Amino acid sequence: GDLIISCGSSLAPVNVLWASENLAKSVAIMNPAPVPLRRFDLVIAPAHDRLRRANVIQTAGAVSSFGDDDLLMAKGRLPAHPNFRRDRPGLDQRPAIAVFIGGETAYYDLNAAFIDALCAQVTAACEVVGGWCLVTTSRRTSPAVERLLSERLGHHPRCRFLLIATRDPINGTMEGMLGWADVAVVTGESISMVSESCASGRPVIVVEPPLRPGRTARSTLTKHQRFLRGLAKEGYARVHPIPEVSHAIQRALKERRSAKRLDTLAPVRDAVARLL
């Protein structure tokens, strides 16, 4: 082949060896460390990783791209999902809020109390606007948070879709949720979820989970904080603390303006074309 492409550090050595053996160009997605950047023809990495070299293309977040047609088709498929409540079709024309919940990381404590407060804000907004919510977890979500969501939202009249990623089928559900959504709410520790939400063209509200004890005294921002502040500065998302989420959702729905769409694929496409 003309290109050998790998993602992450674990496959970087294999990439370099295969590219050399096949006289192909080597492309690494994400930071390939400990393999040096100079060993690759192209490195595609998010800007918050701060990799600077002539062969590095920086993206605003994780590489993702959703077209309107993709979201529309996914929206049409989602009601066939076994978790989608079809008993309230009258809500189809009402505002929908998609909520994407990640999990704990080395820096963030995405605990049940935080998610409980987030649920209260989202359902309060649903009541005010007469709308409904769709909620999904990730494979990193803790069992305690999964239990809380099942208890709080499993039978909530304003929640028509709750997906627990560790047990429920997930293929295409993020695109389907974004297809339905008038607003997306995302926990800020998940760079991929935030990037994909911002690529949808929907207004995005990001909620940063609490930092773990011992992390709050840091004088420098975490890479997630750099990422979120960069998106907010460029107008792709709005970052709010928990107590502001309900009002932020209502404001986004009231404004009814097109959101700025994050396109991380375009610079990658151009860079690969130049390589070939």
Side-chain angles (χ1 to χ4, degrees), residues 32-94:
V35 179
L37 298 175
R38 58 181 169 77
R39 297 295 300 274
F40 298 89
D41 294 286
L42 178 66
V43 176
I44 301 162
H48 57 260
D49 278 349
R50 294 179 167 178
L51 303 182
R52 291 179 175 84
R53 191 178 168 86
N55 61 332
V56 175
I57 293 294
Q58 295 187 336
T59 63
V63 176
S64 58
S65 178
F66 293 137
D68 288 331
D69 290 342
D70 299 325
L71 295 179
L72 187 61
M73 287 189 292
K75 175 183 178 179
R77 291 191 298 266
L78 192 63
H81 194 286
N83 292 31
F84 193 94
R85 290 181 58 184
R86 293 175 290 277
D87 59 335
R88 302 196 69 194
L91 288 175
D92 283 1
Q93 306 306 316
R94 303 298 298 166

Side-chain angles (χ1 to χ4, degrees), residues 167-189:
R167 71 173 189 225
D168 300 325
I170 61 175
N171 288 350
T173 50
M174 182 164 197
E175 294 93 325
M177 289 173 62
L178 288 169
W180 279 99
D182 295 285
V183 179
V185 178
V186 198
T187 57
E189 90 303 329

Side-chain angles (χ1 to χ4, degrees), residues 104 109-119 142 144-146 148:
E104 297 187 357
D109 181 18
L110 200 146
N111 55 53
F114 168 77
I115 296 302
D116 191 37
L118 180 60
C119 287
S142 71
V145 169
E146 291 177 341
L148 171 80

Side-chain angles (χ1 to χ4, degrees), residues 115-129:
I115 296 302
D116 191 37
L118 180 60
C119 287
Q121 290 286 316
V122 170
T123 53
C126 288
E127 293 289 348
V128 171
V129 303

Side-chain angles (χ1 to χ4, degrees), residues 115-221:
I115 296 302
D116 191 37
L118 180 60
C119 287
Q121 290 286 316
V122 170
T123 53
C126 288
E127 293 289 348
V128 171
V129 303
W132 53 287
C133 63
L134 313 91
V135 181
T136 184
T137 64
S138 80
R139 296 196 185 280
R140 294 183 295 105
T141 306
S142 71
V145 169
E146 291 177 341
R147 286 192 298 272
L148 171 80
L149 289 169
S150 295
E151 292 167 4
R152 285 291 304 268
L153 300 179
H155 300 286
H156 196 288
R158 293 290 178 182
C159 181
R160 293 183 73 192
F161 183 76
L162 172 62
L163 184 143
I164 304 298
T166 56
R167 71 173 189 225
D168 300 325
I170 61 175
N171 288 350
T173 50
M174 182 164 197
E175 294 93 325
M177 289 173 62
L178 288 169
W180 279 99
D182 295 285
V183 179
V185 178
V186 198
T187 57
E189 90 303 329
S190 177
I191 289 173
S192 60
M193 281 183 167
V194 172
S195 299
E196 290 170 346
S197 298
C198 291
S200 72
R202 273 53 175 171
V204 176
I205 295 165
V206 179
V207 190
E208 188 180 0
L211 289 168
R212 288 188 177 282
R215 301 291 188 179
T216 54
R218 288 173 56 92
S219 58
T220 57
L221 298 176

